[in-house]
Amino acid sequence: MSVVTEATVDARAVELEQHRRELTAYCYRMLGSVFEAEDAVQETMIRAWRSLERFEGRSSLKSWLYRIATNVCFDQLNGRERRARPMDLGPAQEPLFENLAELPEVTWLTPMPTPDELAEQRETLRLAFVAALQHLPPRQRAVLILCEVLRWQASEAAELLETSVASVNSALQRARATLATADTTAPAELDAETRALLDRYVAAFEAYDIEQLTDLLHEDAVQSMPPFSLWLRGREDIFTWWFGPGIGCQGSKLIPVQTTNGLPAWAQYKPAPEGGYDPWAIMVVEPSGGRISELTFFLDTQKLFPLYGLPEHLE
């Protein structure tokens, strides 16, 4: 191998890494799990590195990487059930401890920290949108993400998927029809007014002030708590839970974390029996219309708190 070729390979290896973050967001939309997405991107990088010397440049390096990542995702999705939110699996239930049913991790969408570089894509990283994508067959899912989210031309998507432009347009039409009934509205802008609302919510939650919380939550607000299938609709049922089976959350501390799925989020630490505070949940809060419309408490702290670089205990 010549020195020039080695330098070229090294330069391309650096360029590979420059695409890691956007590939992770792509694979996350495809797979519904940030952990599976990271694994898929790592496998993509390994395959790309092994084939780098044979890359002939007929397409851009970015397109080539997306082709590899898409095939990795197709392999992972082969024969697998879709990931979902509790709201996708059945109706809301009464706020009773007896209704708690824990389902395996592979059932659920997992939250994804949203770096600033992906802020413009936060609408398409929203939990409701990613959940809606999981209803699509893998190829339709890829077409819709490439064309609608990443704004690729149909011809570019066809080249990546090794199919015709007509097939891409047909898949895109079917995907749009499926998503037409899904909740894909854009999240509220995090302007000064919304941030003030969120500050009031955090203070009210930490104080467990039901009067303040009543003013801050929509009457038909929704709460879910993966990995439990139980979900609640309505402020009254949410408060019945908080002041009943969920009373252990009283006195919690909320620590702001990176924007998650394009929405504001906090790490919730619950009072520990021996003193201090133990991890309890990553709380993703969705505001709309001047109030809080949806609360998702992701309870798998053993996997999620390290993802956010959070401590195992607060004094």
Side-chain angles (χ1 to χ4, degrees):
M1 181 187 300
S2 68
V3 174
V4 173
T5 303
E6 288 178 358
T8 301
V9 170
D10 288 344
R12 285 177 176 171
V14 171
E15 191 175 352
L16 292 183
E17 285 300 318
Q18 293 174 347
H19 294 287
R20 182 180 289 272
R21 185 159 283 174
E22 61 181 284
L23 284 170
T24 302
Y26 173 68
C27 292
Y28 173 72
R29 295 185 185 95
M30 287 290 294
L31 302 170
S33 164
V34 66
F35 303 106
E36 289 186 358
E38 288 177 345
D39 289 344
V41 172
Q42 188 60 27
E43 176 63 21
T44 297
M45 293 298 180
I46 290 171
R47 293 188 188 183
W49 177 254
R50 289 173 177 169
S51 306
L52 195 55
E53 292 183 47
R54 299 193 299 274
F55 174 62
E56 298 175 353
R58 285 194 292 260
S59 61
S60 70
L61 185 65
K62 178 178 178 178
S63 298
W64 183 63
L65 282 173
Y66 269 88
R67 176 180 296 173
I68 297 172
T70 301
N71 289 330
V72 170
C73 289
F74 285 169
D75 290 343
Q76 290 196 21
L77 290 168
N78 186 28
R80 198 193 73 184
E81 295 294 323
R82 66 180 173 90
R83 287 180 177 266
R85 299 184 302 163
M87 294 79 85
D88 300 321
L89 302 182
Q93 294 177 276
E94 293 184 65
L96 302 173
F97 182 82
E98 294 77 17
N99 287 334
L100 281 181
E102 185 172 353
L103 298 180
E105 186 276 336
V106 294
T107 308
W108 307 115
L109 291 180
T110 68
M112 178 184 175
T114 310
D116 292 341
E117 297 93 309
L118 298 176
E120 292 184 359
Q121 299 180 21
R122 68 191 191 96
E123 179 180 342
T124 61
L125 288 169
R126 183 170 169 255
L127 287 164
F129 183 80
V130 177
L133 288 175
Q134 308 311 302
H135 288 272
L136 301 174
R139 290 182 71 83
Q140 284 186 31
R141 198 179 307 178
V143 166
L144 188 128
I145 297 169
L146 291 168
C147 295
E148 297 281 279
V149 176
L150 302 179
R151 303 299 180 186
W152 287 34
Q153 298 294 322
S155 57
E156 295 174 311
E159 182 181 357
L160 182 147
L161 295 168
E162 298 180 332
T163 188
S164 66
V165 171
S167 295
V168 165
N169 287 331
S170 176
L172 188 58
Q173 185 176 5
R174 294 195 300 274
R176 286 170 175 161
T178 301
L179 262 63
T181 58
D183 177 13
T184 56
T185 54
E189 290 294 329
L190 298 181
D191 54 20
E193 184 177 349
T194 303
R195 293 186 186 279
L197 165 71
L198 295 169
D199 289 342
R200 294 197 301 273
Y201 167 75
V202 169
F205 185 88
E206 290 186 330
Y208 239 56
D209 185 333
I210 191 168
E211 291 186 9
Q212 287 292 321
L213 290 165
T214 299
D215 289 339
L216 296 170
L217 265 66
H218 277 290
E219 187 175 356
D220 61 349
V222 169
Q223 173 181 310
S224 59
M225 302 170 287
F228 295 108
S229 58
L230 171 69
W231 66 281
L232 307 171
R233 180 183 291 282
R235 186 172 57 207
E236 183 177 343
D237 278 0
I238 291 173
F239 290 159
T240 298
W241 180 268
W242 286 7
F243 289 89
I247 194 62
C249 289
Q250 188 170 19
S252 291
K253 296 293 183 186
L254 299 184
I255 307 298
V257 296
Q258 191 172 6
T259 301
T260 298
N261 292 90
L263 296 169
W266 286 263
Q268 179 188 351
Y269 285 85
K270 198 166 71 167
E274 68 281 0
Y277 301 86
D278 286 337
W280 181 247
I282 296 294
M283 178 196 298
V284 181
V285 179
E286 180 152 354
S288 69
R291 288 190 172 185
I292 305 300
S293 59
E294 186 171 328
L295 297 161
T296 307
F297 295 82
F298 291 97
L299 303 179
D300 188 359
T301 59
Q302 288 189 337
K303 293 184 72 174
L304 293 176
F305 273 48
L307 178 68
Y308 287 85
L310 292 163
E312 296 179 0
H313 183 78
L314 291 182
E315 297 299 334

